[in-house]
Amino acid sequence: MHMPRFMNFRRAGLVALTAGLGAVAQAQDFNPYRGQATVHEAGRQAYSQHCAQCHGVDASQPMAEAPDLRRLDSFCRRLRDPVLKNDCTADVDRYYLRSVHEGKVRAGVVHMPAWKDVLTPQQIWSIRTFVETRPLDPPKRTTSVDARHAAESPVAASGSAR
């Protein structure tokens, strides 16, 4: 497979950035870089190159095929017990790793390709580290059903109560 010349330079830059991260991520099924600010830029670049097209520039494009990656461990964040929180986060890391390695196929349709032969373990975990730094949007207070009901209501149509 022939890669455009600029892609070779871009890939070489990512390899150089993630090479300094060491072999610590080779056999890990949990994120060994969590909270390490030095990994952020490598993760941002790898995310931009491989993930942003489907998951959005800030990892926040919510759709069934490409969920909001910032919310993968939202349940874990609410846990108070540190042991449970740690176990929950480790479970989410394993889910993330399996999803990235194997991709997502539903009813024979590929929703996400497998990345195990494309991304190094360092890149996979640096992407996860980058995504974890992205701020969450505030929770929605209304749903699309609420909006539809408001639009159909006689009060909303006339602008005044009867």
Side-chain angles (χ1 to χ4, degrees):
M1 173 200 268
H2 174 53
M3 236 190 283
R5 186 180 183 118
F6 75 90
M7 290 298 286
N8 286 330
F9 289 123
R10 198 171 191 192
R11 187 177 195 96
L14 282 173
V15 169
L17 272 172
T18 57
L21 300 178
V24 69
Q26 288 295 335
Q28 302 289 339
D29 64 350
F30 63 90
N31 186 355
Y33 303 134
R34 181 165 284 114
Q36 294 184 23
T38 56
V39 176
H40 184 270
E41 182 57 22
R44 185 192 66 74
Q45 286 189 23
Y47 178 88
S48 294
Q49 183 176 353
H50 300 288
C51 313
Q53 181 178 354
C54 296
H55 289 281
V57 174
D58 290 322
S60 63
Q61 183 169 322
M63 52 191 240
E65 297 82 11
D68 186 337
L69 297 176
R70 302 167 306 164
R71 297 192 184 278
L72 284 178
D73 62 350
S74 59
F75 175 77
C76 302
R77 286 187 216 126
R78 293 183 293 206
L79 295 172
R80 298 273 186 241
D81 182 304
V83 174
L84 287 177
K85 188 173 192 167
N86 188 51
D87 289 348
C88 182
T89 302
D91 284 345
V92 173
D93 281 350
R94 284 188 290 276
Y95 169 79
Y96 165 81
L97 184 61
R98 185 176 59 249
S99 297
V100 173
H101 276 179
E102 299 171 13
K104 295 289 185 177
V105 178
R106 291 188 194 100
V109 176
V110 176
H111 292 275
M112 181 174 123
W115 292 95
K116 68 180 172 215
D117 296 329
V118 178
L119 298 173
T120 66
Q122 293 88 356
Q123 288 172 313
I124 291 169
W125 291 122
S126 68
I127 289 168
R128 175 97 168 110
T129 301
F130 166 72
V131 168
E132 290 176 336
T133 68
R134 307 312 310 145
L136 289 170
D137 296 331
K140 291 183 179 179
R141 302 264 182 225
T142 60
T143 66
S144 58
V145 173
D146 295 328
R148 189 180 76 231
H149 284 293
E152 294 171 354
S153 141
V155 173
S158 67
S160 62
R162 297 188 193 256

